[in-house]
Amino acid sequence: MSTSETLSLVPNYSPGYGSTPNGDTHNTHKPSSSQTVLHTSPPTPTIRKSIKIVLTSSKINILLIFIPLGYLAHIFDLSDNWVFILNFLAIIPLAKLLDFATEELSLRVGETIGGFLNATFGNAVELIVSVVALMEGEIRVVQASILGSIISNLLLILGMCFVAGGIYHEEQKFNQTAAQTTSSLMTLACIGLIIPAAFNFAVGNNNPIIDDGITKSGLLDLSRGTAVVLLIIYILYLYFQMKTHSNLYQGEEEEEDNDPQLSLGVSIFLLASITVIVSFSADYLVGSIEGIVESSGLSKTFVGLILIPIVGNAAEFVTAINAAMRNKMDLAVNVSAGSSMQIALFVTPFLVLLGWAIGQDMSLYFQSFETVVLFISILITNYLIQDGKSNWLEGVMLLATYIIISLAFFFYPNDNES
């Protein structure tokens, strides 16, 4: 084989490197910039480095110091005020870490399974707190926290996104089709709550012939049947989002490095351990609500609807605001409105069926005032996102609605809770 034939087998051969025109070879072998280079995957981080990555993943992690303090407050039987405050502050960074662990695991297992994990654990903190409260029989707290999470996502977080983005950008655009699909599903979920309220009003209040026990039984059966329908709709929505119309939800990719920072084993361990820690903190938090209500005079509805959602929505709040300021409104709208839709179509019916399984009379019947508040929140959100554009004034409208609702529930009397 001739020299020229030999050289032709070398990709992008340059005679200045490795050989002279006379066939003599140099001692140095520098690859040209265009030569094929094999890249290997980055090495798995050590345990020490993984811990550092986890602890430095967010500035909110400074609040992790409140985890042991919350546990100690419960162990040493401090006042309910201290137990509530310390565990309240402890769950905020745990919510962010749970979001981080879910994202890391999603990057390792592929797009389809990753999307399912994000859909399942996207509101894990709200789900854990609600499950703990449901097992303790605090059905009013469960219903208020569900309603509060939906409203805070639709009005508070989305409103702050519109304001924060509007400060830096005169007008912002987002995926109109995906936003309208989410708002339509939210309307369906609202129908699932309005019908039980109408059923109770028509059958219970206006018909003295029917026994209260029959009304309650029919209301529970209606709620459980509706919960099954909503769960089926949620599963179909996931199929719509991840398979048949996935192009509508690709949105804006993060410009930062999307490579996973943790190994698969560390990600699974982190997700499992944080879930356990959150369950303990949530248990202590829910157990102190009764004392908070008695000492402060606040209603359980206000605590569940305004205060507890702040804990679960801390991660969404930070993510959505940062995305809006960087003009990534598809991501911001998906985080806020999408989270509300998930709570309405997955978390709420799941809790109804779980209550059925453990003997708790959890239903989709919310008090009339709460149902009206939810309807108003969904109504104004649908009006503002239907054109696929946003500005700071629309954000102010959402925030004003949230403040009015918060004031109403602040003065909501405990006597109306049954």
Side-chain angles (χ1 to χ4, degrees):
M1 183 180 296
S2 65
T3 304
S4 61
E5 291 174 337
T6 304
L7 295 179
S8 65
L9 298 177
V10 183
N12 299 313
Y13 169 76
S14 176
Y17 300 118
S19 177
T20 65
N22 296 326
D24 299 327
T25 57
H26 293 297
N27 292 329
T28 59
H29 296 272
K30 296 182 180 179
S32 66
S33 59
S34 59
Q35 279 187 292
T36 303
V37 180
L38 296 177
H39 296 277
T40 58
S41 58
T44 303
T46 61
I47 298 297
R48 182 176 180 181
K49 186 176 180 180
S50 297
I51 294 175
K52 182 180 179 180
I53 291 173
V54 171
L55 294 179
T56 58
S57 61
S58 173
K59 295 180 181 179
I60 300 179
N61 289 344
I62 193 174
L63 297 177
L64 290 172
I65 186 63
F66 290 103
I67 297 176
L69 295 178
Y71 288 1
L72 291 174
H74 174 77
I75 293 173
F76 290 104
D77 200 22
L78 298 184
S79 67
D80 286 331
N81 291 343
W82 279 110
V83 174
F84 182 88
I85 292 172
L86 293 176
N87 285 284
F88 180 91
L89 294 174
I91 295 178
I92 292 176
L94 289 173
K96 184 64 177 175
L97 281 179
L98 197 60
D99 182 65
F100 174 74
T102 304
E103 183 64 28
E104 284 293 310
L105 189 58
S106 299
L107 293 173
R108 288 285 184 183
V109 298
E111 182 179 353
T112 302
I113 300 179
F116 177 76
L117 287 174
N118 282 320
T120 305
F121 288 94
N123 291 283
V125 172
E126 291 93 333
L127 182 60
I128 293 172
V129 172
S130 298
V131 168
V132 171
L134 182 61
M135 296 181 69
E136 295 184 6
E138 296 285 355
I139 295 178
R140 288 296 303 133
V141 174
V142 175
Q143 291 182 326
S145 64
I146 290 172
L147 184 65
S149 295
I150 295 174
I151 291 175
S152 64
N153 275 291
L154 287 180
L155 302 180
L156 178 61
I157 297 181
L158 190 59
M160 286 297 298
C161 287
F162 286 178
V163 171
I167 293 175
Y168 296 95
H169 311 278
E170 180 178 355
E171 185 178 76
Q172 295 178 288
K173 297 181 180 181
F174 48 87
N175 190 325
Q176 183 179 5
T177 304
Q180 288 181 344
T181 300
T182 300
S183 63
S184 298
L185 289 171
M186 281 300 306
T187 304
L188 174 62
C190 186
I191 292 173
L193 299 182
I194 291 177
I195 290 180
F199 177 88
N200 181 75
F201 178 79
V203 177
N205 294 346
N206 290 348
N207 197 336
I209 300 177
I210 300 178
D211 184 75
D212 289 341
I214 298 177
T215 302
K216 182 178 179 181
S217 176
L219 195 59
L220 288 173
D221 291 340
L222 172 62
S223 297
R224 291 159 183 169
T226 305
V228 172
V229 174
L230 293 179
L231 280 176
I232 293 174
I233 293 297
Y234 180 70
I235 294 173
L236 294 176
Y237 164 73
L238 291 181
Y239 183 74
F240 178 87
Q241 181 186 37
M242 288 189 260
K243 289 294 184 181
T244 61
H245 292 72
S246 59
N247 59 302
L248 298 178
Y249 296 89
Q250 290 174 354
E252 299 156 325
E253 298 292 335
E254 289 290 335
E255 294 179 0
E256 290 83 8
D257 187 11
N258 276 332
D259 292 333
Q261 303 178 62
L262 303 176
S263 65
L264 179 61
V266 171
S267 300
I268 295 175
F269 175 78
L270 180 63
L271 186 63
S273 59
I274 292 177
T275 302
V276 173
I277 296 173
V278 169
S279 65
F280 280 104
S281 297
D283 186 25
Y284 304 151
L285 179 76
V286 172
S288 63
I289 289 178
E290 195 72 39
I292 286 286
V293 170
E294 293 177 359
S295 62
S296 65
L298 297 174
S299 65
K300 285 186 179 180
T301 304
F302 180 82
V303 173
L305 193 140
I306 303 299
L307 297 183
I308 291 181
I310 295 176
V311 174
N313 293 332
E316 286 97 338
F317 186 84
V318 175
T319 302
I321 296 297
N322 288 335
M325 292 189 338
R326 289 177 291 152
N327 202 26
K328 294 181 176 291
M329 288 306 295
D330 278 341
L331 178 60
V333 172
N334 183 57
V335 168
S336 53
S339 180
S340 294
M341 185 272 301
Q342 185 185 68
I343 294 172
L345 291 182
F346 172 68
V347 175
T348 304
F350 173 80
L351 291 172
V352 171
L353 297 181
L354 178 63
W356 187 13
I358 64 177
Q360 295 288 353
D361 293 338
M362 173 68 184
S363 72
L364 292 177
Y365 168 59
F366 287 60
Q367 294 186 5
S368 301
F369 178 60
E370 299 168 359
T371 306
V372 171
V373 164
L374 178 62
F375 175 77
I376 292 173
S377 302
I378 296 175
L379 182 66
I380 188 172
T381 304
N382 287 354
Y383 274 133
L384 295 181
I385 68 175
Q386 64 182 354
D387 61 349
K389 301 176 184 178
S390 66
N391 53 63
W392 65 266
L393 183 58
E394 292 181 346
V396 171
M397 295 178 192
L398 292 174
L399 292 177
T401 306
Y402 182 78
I403 293 173
I404 294 172
I405 291 173
S406 299
L407 287 174
F409 280 105
F410 179 78
F411 296 108
Y412 196 83
N414 280 314
D415 294 338
N416 285 347
E417 297 177 356
S418 59

